[in-house]
Amino acid sequence: MRPWRACVQPRRQCPSCTTASTAAAQSPEPGSCNHRRPRGRGCSGPSPRLQEEDLHLRTSSLPAIPNPFPELCGPGSPPALTPGSLPPGPAAAKQDVKVFSEDGTSKVVEILADMTARDLCQLLVYRSHCVDDNSWALVEHHPHLGLERCLEDHELVVQVESTMASESKFLFRKNYAKYEFFKNPMNFFPEQMVTWCQQSNGSHTQLLQNFLNSSSCPEIQGFLHVKELGRKSWKKLYVCLRRSGLYCSTKGASKEPRHLQLLADLEDSSIFSLIAGRKQYSAPTDYGFCIKPNRVRNEAKELRLLCAEDEQSRTCWMTACRLLKYGMLLYQNYRIPQQRKAMLSHFSTPVRSVSENSLVAMDFSGQTGRVIENPAEAQSAALEEGHAWRKRSTRMNILGSQSPLHPSALSTVIHRTQHWFHGRISREESHRIIKQQGLVDGLFLLRDSQSNPKAFVLTLCHHQKIKNFQILPCEDDGQTFFSLDDGNTKFSDLIQLVDFYQLNKGVLPCRLKHHCIRVAL
């Protein structure tokens, strides 16, 4: 029969307890004394019988284990770790980075040494109150060299800044074309420029898989204008791009190993676009790009400058360089926002209130209202109500009482509050903005017309080409409307026009999809 023991509640060691025997030190209830404590009195010590039975029980069931740290068991012993006894851990390195926006404003941001370009973009989006649609990019801009490029999402900002000269800077900008080649590869890789060193079915999906698979070896080939190192002259050479680097042929279009000469290595280099290649480097075309070694800061003579014949060719060369250099990293960067969106889709779905769910179409033309159950009749009633509202608004304006909802002057200025309207900029400036933010289908902006002070211009990108459409005002029943197609389709203001062509292609080559935006940091 097990000896009877007192039931003890865990509590701190009694300060008046002086029985710090070996058995008590090895008690399975640390921090408590095995003494019954009357209310309002100190610990009176254990009875001799209880102490003897307890000691007999412990020594008979457990082997004697010596206490290796007796100095820690005394009631007056100091704590094992005192403040400052351990060496301080390494503090996370921080650094100030200055980022500029398109309008020239800038912001100094304190970042950690391991912050990526994607992290910094998300931080700037949050601080600038922008919409985070995963199309923002951090641009490495070298004005003295006439080069710029978008950082890959996984690149470390501090590491990139260490390779930049003092005149260089970071820009915060939209780039809708960052991962467009994953969505529409056929627009990026012309068939005549692509070859495989192994069997393939020739599809663009298979081409991307070959680029992402490090064991395969796709090639991009074609003629490029190449600037000779240390000279101002350019030569048109047959060039092929492989995983091992960029090569030019010394004999026509031959790709025999003895005729190939290495132009540039992609391993420790970055691919840039030429900002003003004709003016700064006497480039033969406007479609220049550059392979810049990371160690080069100000020396233009060490840059490998190249020019393509058109925009599609340049895009193909630069996209292939990115894929061959980074491979699966690019695909992971592309998939991360989509996976995050899929995880949050359940929470991001707007929840309608009970009152919104209970809305029905009503007809109040009779003495009592009735519910319109026919969907076609309900739509017709909604359109009729909309036209009636516009007529009432116009009549109020004519009578001199300005309507707060639809004043007559509001339709001519309300568009100036929209991000897609860029005011009085030139045609060349609008084309430059479109190119900077990505030559993807549906990228657009609106601006004031330079030839007609009452008209506006829609600048739109389609198939990597930029087109301009004039928006003319027209009058009908004393009210001003705007139209793209000589009055066949009329809109009360430019916001309504943009909303319509975002849903309908109409006379445009494609629907409006992305708008060029500039934010102030």
Side-chain angles (χ1 to χ4, degrees):
M1 181 175 180
R2 185 173 179 177
W4 176 85
R5 294 180 57 193
C7 181
V8 182
Q9 296 294 330
R11 61 170 64 90
R12 291 184 300 173
Q13 188 172 0
C14 178
S16 62
C17 179
T18 57
T19 59
S21 62
T22 304
Q26 297 174 354
S27 171
E29 300 165 347
S32 64
C33 61
N34 294 334
H35 309 150
R36 284 195 276 188
R37 183 176 182 178
R39 180 177 297 179
R41 298 180 60 186
C43 183
S44 59
S47 64
R49 182 179 177 182
L50 286 179
Q51 186 178 13
E52 181 180 355
E53 290 179 351
D54 190 32
L55 181 61
H56 173 73
L57 175 65
R58 295 176 185 277
T59 54
S60 61
S61 58
L62 293 175
I65 302 176
N67 185 4
F69 305 106
E71 66 277 4
L72 300 181
C73 299
S77 60
L81 295 178
T82 58
S85 60
L86 291 178
K94 295 184 179 181
Q95 185 170 329
D96 290 337
V97 174
K98 193 172 186 179
V99 183
F100 290 81
S101 64
E102 295 291 336
D103 61 357
T105 60
S106 62
K107 178 178 291 186
V108 177
V109 185
E110 186 182 58
I111 65 173
L112 298 175
D114 59 348
M115 179 171 281
T116 63
R118 183 196 294 274
D119 297 335
L120 181 54
C121 286
Q122 290 182 334
L123 178 62
L124 293 173
V125 164
Y126 172 76
R127 294 188 177 182
S128 304
H129 308 288
C130 306
V131 177
D132 187 9
D133 56 359
N134 300 303
S135 60
W136 292 99
L138 197 64
V139 179
E140 181 183 352
H141 182 74
H142 301 274
H144 53 291
L145 296 176
L147 306 175
E148 67 178 25
R149 75 174 181 104
C150 290
L151 270 67
E152 304 296 347
D153 285 340
H154 65 271
E155 290 189 80
L156 300 180
V157 178
V158 173
Q159 183 176 343
V160 174
E161 190 182 39
S162 65
T163 66
M164 297 167 57
S166 57
E167 302 89 352
S168 304
K169 57 185 178 181
F170 286 125
L171 301 176
F172 182 54
R173 178 192 297 167
K174 281 278 190 180
N175 181 19
Y176 293 103
K178 186 162 51 172
Y179 300 118
E180 188 69 16
F181 58 90
F182 283 121
K183 306 173 185 177
N184 301 302
M186 66 289 299
N187 297 335
F188 287 81
F189 300 103
E191 294 183 3
Q192 68 274 13
M193 295 182 61
V194 181
T195 59
W196 288 273
C197 295
Q198 62 183 25
Q199 287 296 111
S200 173
N201 57 15
S203 67
H204 288 86
T205 304
Q206 182 65 37
L207 171 64
L208 288 177
Q209 293 176 358
N210 287 336
F211 273 117
L212 299 176
N213 186 5
S214 58
S215 62
S216 62
C217 46
E219 287 186 3
I220 303 297
Q221 61 186 13
F223 284 94
L224 284 174
H225 299 275
V226 181
K227 186 177 182 298
E228 298 184 77
L229 293 178
R231 299 184 181 181
K232 294 183 179 181
S233 58
W234 293 73
K235 282 187 177 182
K236 190 172 183 179
L237 300 174
Y238 189 80
V239 179
C240 65
L241 177 64
R242 299 177 177 177
R243 291 194 182 277
S244 55
L246 186 70
Y247 298 86
C248 68
S249 177
T250 58
K251 188 177 181 180
S254 173
K255 292 196 295 182
E256 295 184 18
R258 59 194 180 97
H259 295 150
L260 293 181
Q261 180 180 349
L262 181 66
L263 284 177
D265 185 8
L266 302 179
E267 184 65 27
D268 196 31
S269 302
S270 299
I271 297 87
F272 288 80
S273 297
L274 292 183
I275 303 173
R278 286 185 181 270
K279 181 178 180 180
Q280 191 165 355
Y281 297 106
S282 302
T285 71
D286 292 322
Y287 312 106
F289 62 101
C290 168
I291 300 178
K292 172 184 171 293
N294 294 334
R295 56 180 174 80
V296 174
R297 295 194 178 213
N298 294 313
E299 301 82 5
K301 60 182 180 181
E302 296 190 41
L303 303 178
R304 179 55 73 184
L305 302 175
L306 309 112
C307 270
E309 294 291 344
D310 52 42
E311 184 63 50
Q312 187 182 34
S313 300
R314 175 172 71 168
T315 304
C316 177
W317 286 105
M318 297 184 66
T319 305
C321 287
R322 293 175 59 200
L323 281 168
L324 289 176
K325 181 176 181 181
Y326 297 110
M328 282 300 297
L329 274 175
L330 288 187
Y331 185 71
Q332 293 171 2
N333 293 340
Y334 165 65
R335 291 291 300 167
I336 286 175
Q338 294 183 337
Q339 295 170 352
R340 189 175 301 168
K341 183 179 180 181
M343 293 174 59
L344 299 177
S345 60
H346 175 72
F347 302 98
S348 60
T349 303
V351 180
R352 300 183 62 179
S353 64
V354 176
S355 60
E356 289 177 329
N357 289 327
S358 60
L359 293 178
V360 294
M362 297 289 294
D363 177 17
F364 295 100
S365 59
Q367 293 183 354
T368 60
R370 70 178 180 89
V371 177
I372 303 177
E373 298 181 355
N374 188 349
E377 185 184 357
Q379 184 177 8
S380 176
L383 292 174
E384 184 179 352
E385 175 65 21
H387 291 307
W389 176 82
R390 289 183 183 275
K391 289 181 180 179
R392 288 195 303 269
S393 176
T394 304
R395 186 166 58 254
M396 290 284 289
N397 294 333
I398 294 175
L399 294 175
S401 175
Q402 289 290 332
S403 169
L405 296 177
H406 195 75
S408 59
L410 189 61
S411 62
T412 60
V413 297
I414 192 173
H415 53 268
R416 300 188 181 276
T417 63
Q418 304 301 304
H419 290 300
W420 40 255
F421 188 77
H422 289 248
R424 294 186 176 276
I425 62 174
S426 63
R427 173 188 290 246
E428 293 74 18
E429 177 69 9
S430 65
H431 288 201
R432 187 182 69 85
I433 295 174
I434 293 281
K435 291 178 180 178
Q436 284 181 344
Q437 300 198 12
L439 290 172
V440 299
D441 288 354
L443 181 61
F444 75 97
L445 61 84
L446 266 71
R447 58 185 175 87
D448 290 310
S449 174
Q450 292 181 304
S451 57
N452 187 347
K454 295 184 179 180
F456 303 93
V457 176
L458 168 66
T459 304
L460 174 66
C461 178
H462 179 63
H463 287 174
Q464 297 183 334
K465 294 182 180 179
I466 302 175
K467 301 180 180 181
N468 297 278
F469 302 87
Q470 197 168 45
I471 303 172
L472 296 173
C474 57
E475 289 192 3
D476 186 9
D477 195 18
Q479 187 175 356
T480 301
F481 294 92
F482 299 93
S483 177
L484 264 175
D485 51 5
D486 298 328
N488 293 325
T489 311
K490 294 177 289 188
F491 305 94
S492 60
D493 53 53
L494 294 185
I495 296 180
Q496 192 182 61
L497 182 145
V498 170
D499 289 343
F500 175 83
Y501 286 108
Q502 284 179 328
L503 299 174
N504 309 275
K505 184 177 71 171
V507 296
L508 300 176
C510 64
R511 291 186 293 109
L512 306 182
K513 189 174 182 182
H514 308 291
H515 65 271
C516 292
I517 179 175
R518 290 180 169 182
V519 297
L521 292 176

